[in-house]
Amino acid sequence: MRLSAYFLPLLKENPSEAQIVSHRLMLRAGMIRQSAAGIYTWLPLGWRVLQKVTQIVREEQDRAGAIELLMPTLQPAELWRESGRYDVYGKEMLRIRDRHDRDMLYGPTNEELITDIFRNGIKSYRDLPKNLYHIQWKFRDEVRPRFGVMRGREFLMKDAYSFDIDKAAAVASYFRMFAAYMKTFKRMGLTPIPVRADTGPIGGDLSHEFHVQADTGESGLFYDADVVNLDESNIDPTSPDVQAYIANWYAATDEKHDKAEFEARVPPERRREARGIEVGQVFYFGTKYSQPMNAVVAGPDGTPVAVEMGSYGIGVSRLLGAIIEACHDDKGIVWPESVAPFKVGLINLRVSDAGCTKACDDLYARLTQAGIEVLYDDRDQSVGAKFAAMDLIGLPYQFVIGPRGLANKLVEVRTRKTGESKEMPFDAAFNFITGGS
Ligand code: ATP
Ligand code: MG
């Protein structure tokens, strides 16, 4: 992408409405613009990252055996009356009436809708287990939307719903998602901390939240340092030992924290306290929805069985804020490669120099041809402004071409994260970035 042809409205000044660094940087880097309180437009750069994050979430859901579909944002109130949640959900639910005076709502979550899809489509235990998910916009009319995409009113969520014939199978589904979550967040360059959690309005009796450590996080965390070392590839979701181990370790948010238990179970050198951002939550809630909504299948002996369910959310749009909180420095964002909007920022130091421009155009064409995502700063602007813009938007690598290096047929390759810089012949730079030799 040529920057001259792109839409990247950067802000020079720190926007006064932004209280935390991720919100500031997302505004300054031209990723989002607020359209109303807690409701954002995703500008081209932000949208690219949102799609990268979405794709990682999708790949790990698919790998865990979940099946993607897409439910609508608007739902009929009747389904929520069936489950009994329509009246109890409260003011966070945006209620709408259509022209025929039917009660509708903008979905804050989808347990009812998916249970309805399930009961109409699956009739026998032979068709279980099933795990269905979608990645769709949600609306929650938060009292205090704040911190940009971190606590929005409209936000993108991945929500999956598992259906099993009995509790043992449902708990295995729960831990399969648990392992997939660890993998998902690690692939984004994050260190997830899974903590036991309250179930809130979703309900149920087994739940974990996944947090990313950040001083600006809204939750207090208390945990055994060992929790962070968990290797999800060792989680056998059907093993009762593994289930018991995870269910019993000490890691909690402030609401669930029990100081006496913490001190009794975790030796002082392993006790950790931190602030965290909740990026995902998993719930096992049995028949809380299948019972009232009559989501039953014929069991092995023909008798009807209410299915055992769980639900699994990831705050996809919130993750962008969480990643930036974890990955930035005083110059701007430092994207992990897996979610970066472009891999390389190519900087032409002197656009008026025909040789520089030819070298940049050629390298840009060659990299693009090789499938590398390049943002090419071909604008006629000061060198300082170009470097500041590239550092702000945080692409993992910068290729810098100017008359001085070019005289020796060299390009400067900078790594954003370490600040390392090295002059290389063009072929070496190309091979470095494409992984060729
Ligand atoms: P919170 O405690 O932060 O209000 P929650 O527990 O109500 O979140 P869940 O129902 O668990 O949220 O939703 C799944 C995920 O969706 C959360 O883990 C979080 O990452 C994300 N999420 C929830 N509310 C918001 C919001 N207002 N803005 C952005 N993301 C959100
Ligand atoms: Mg939650």
Side-chain angles (χ1 to χ4, degrees):
M1 177 60 63
R2 282 174 182 268
L3 196 40
S4 61
Y6 202 42
F7 182 58
L8 185 68
L10 303 178
L11 301 181
K12 285 215 178 61
E13 305 297 329
N14 272 330
S16 58
E17 74 267 29
Q19 299 161 27
I20 63 170
V21 68
S22 57
H23 188 196
R24 253 192 324 266
L25 289 172
M26 287 183 83
L27 291 169
R28 286 195 50 211
M31 295 177 65
I32 53 167
R33 283 295 175 270
Q34 182 174 293
S35 88
I39 303 179
Y40 290 87
T41 293
W42 292 81
L43 298 175
L45 194 77
W47 176 235
R48 281 182 84 97
V49 182
L50 190 63
Q51 286 175 292
K52 294 263 162 93
V53 169
T54 301
Q55 186 55 23
I56 291 176
V57 170
R58 175 177 287 126
E59 284 169 17
E60 295 306 325
Q61 290 295 294
D62 292 349
R63 199 198 306 275
I67 307 162
E68 187 171 10
L69 47 68
L70 182 61
M71 289 176 268
T73 52
L74 295 185
Q75 305 181 17
E78 290 131 59
L79 288 177
W80 289 66
R81 293 205 173 98
E82 269 192 65
S83 73
R85 271 208 296 185
Y86 189 66
D87 293 322
V88 297
Y89 206 90
K91 289 193 163 176
E92 269 187 17
M93 182 188 279
L94 181 64
R95 296 155 207 257
I96 303 162
R97 186 158 290 164
D98 73 10
R99 68 195 297 166
H100 303 292
D101 270 346
R102 279 185 289 248
D103 289 328
M104 311 282 292
L105 56 102
Y106 194 129
T109 178
N110 283 56
E111 281 79 9
E112 285 78 0
L113 196 46
I114 198 72
T115 302
D116 183 51
I117 300 292
F118 177 89
R119 69 183 171 186
N120 290 317
I122 292 199
K123 307 288 183 195
S124 162
Y125 78 97
R126 286 194 195 85
D127 298 321
L128 299 181
K130 281 281 175 288
N131 187 328
L132 303 172
Y133 79 97
H134 72 163
I135 300 171
Q136 177 63 292
W137 296 92
K138 303 290 185 287
F139 196 93
R140 293 183 186 175
D141 205 351
E142 303 273 356
V143 197
R144 257 199 338 137
R146 58 188 185 143
F147 301 158
V149 300
M150 213 67 103
R151 183 166 297 287
R153 291 197 296 164
E154 187 187 54
F155 60 96
L156 189 60
M157 193 201 285
K158 183 286 299 180
D159 38 325
Y161 303 87
S162 64
F163 301 88
D164 284 279
I165 189 65
D166 57 26
K167 180 168 179 185
V171 170
S173 293
Y174 178 93
F175 284 102
R176 191 168 294 113
M177 277 290 119
F178 188 107
Y181 275 36
M182 297 293 289
K183 180 91 184 290
T184 301
F185 300 129
K186 286 183 185 176
R187 278 187 63 189
M188 297 171 191
L190 299 171
T191 305
I193 304 170
V195 304
R196 61 183 182 192
D198 279 325
T199 51
I202 309 279
D205 37 41
L206 179 59
S207 181
H208 285 86
E209 289 172 0
F210 292 77
H211 284 260
V212 173
Q213 199 184 315
D215 294 339
T216 50
E218 293 186 284
S219 322
L221 306 179
F222 302 84
Y223 62 97
D224 182 336
D226 268 4
V227 165
V228 176
N229 300 325
L230 176 76
D231 178 355
E232 69 283 352
S233 61
N234 292 335
I235 297 180
D236 170 359
T238 60
S239 152
D241 289 348
V242 169
Q243 294 168 6
Y245 173 67
I246 293 175
N248 291 329
W249 70 26
Y250 199 97
T253 55
D254 23 25
E255 298 100 69
K256 275 257 162 169
H257 181 54
D258 177 337
K259 193 155 183 269
E261 192 193 343
F262 188 44
E263 287 171 4
R265 288 185 29 204
V266 186
E269 68 278 9
R270 294 212 316 255
R271 288 179 206 151
R272 298 287 182 278
E273 286 185 33
R275 307 289 309 166
I277 300 166
E278 181 193 327
V279 290
Q281 187 164 7
V282 291
F283 303 86
Y284 159 69
F285 47 69
T287 59
K288 179 173 168 90
Y289 300 91
S290 57
Q291 196 93 60
M293 294 186 67
N294 202 33
V296 295
V297 296
D301 61 0
T303 51
V305 182
V307 288
E308 289 274 330
M309 293 175 59
S311 74
Y312 315 92
I314 290 183
V316 179
S317 50
R318 177 181 286 182
L319 268 168
L320 273 77
I323 293 168
I324 295 173
E325 290 292 325
C327 310
H328 70 270
D329 62 18
D330 53 2
K331 296 189 190 118
I333 303 168
V334 183
W335 290 116
E337 241 179 275
S338 59
V339 299
F342 298 90
K343 187 169 182 179
V344 175
L346 172 60
I347 300 178
N348 184 350
L349 287 183
R350 197 171 301 162
V351 179
S352 56
D353 179 310
C356 274
T357 296
K358 167 106 178 44
C360 284
D361 286 357
D362 289 352
L363 186 57
Y364 174 61
R366 205 174 154 202
L367 288 168
T368 306
Q369 197 105 75
I372 304 292
E373 293 172 307
V374 182
L375 184 63
Y376 172 16
D377 192 346
D378 58 343
R379 299 169 308 163
D380 190 5
Q381 286 221 351
S382 78
V383 169
K386 288 189 168 194
F387 283 140
M390 271 309 169
D391 283 345
L392 174 63
I393 68 173
L395 309 182
Y397 301 99
Q398 300 173 2
F399 282 12
V400 185
I401 297 178
R404 203 143 34 89
L406 202 57
N408 300 313
K409 301 198 166 55
L410 295 175
V411 48
E412 185 188 345
V413 175
R414 297 181 170 196
T415 304
R416 175 69 180 84
K417 188 173 175 180
T418 59
E420 268 174 291
S421 144
K422 213 173 151 187
E423 293 207 293
M424 296 185 194
F426 279 70
D427 280 346
F430 178 84
N431 290 334
F432 168 77
I433 214 72
T434 56
S437 52

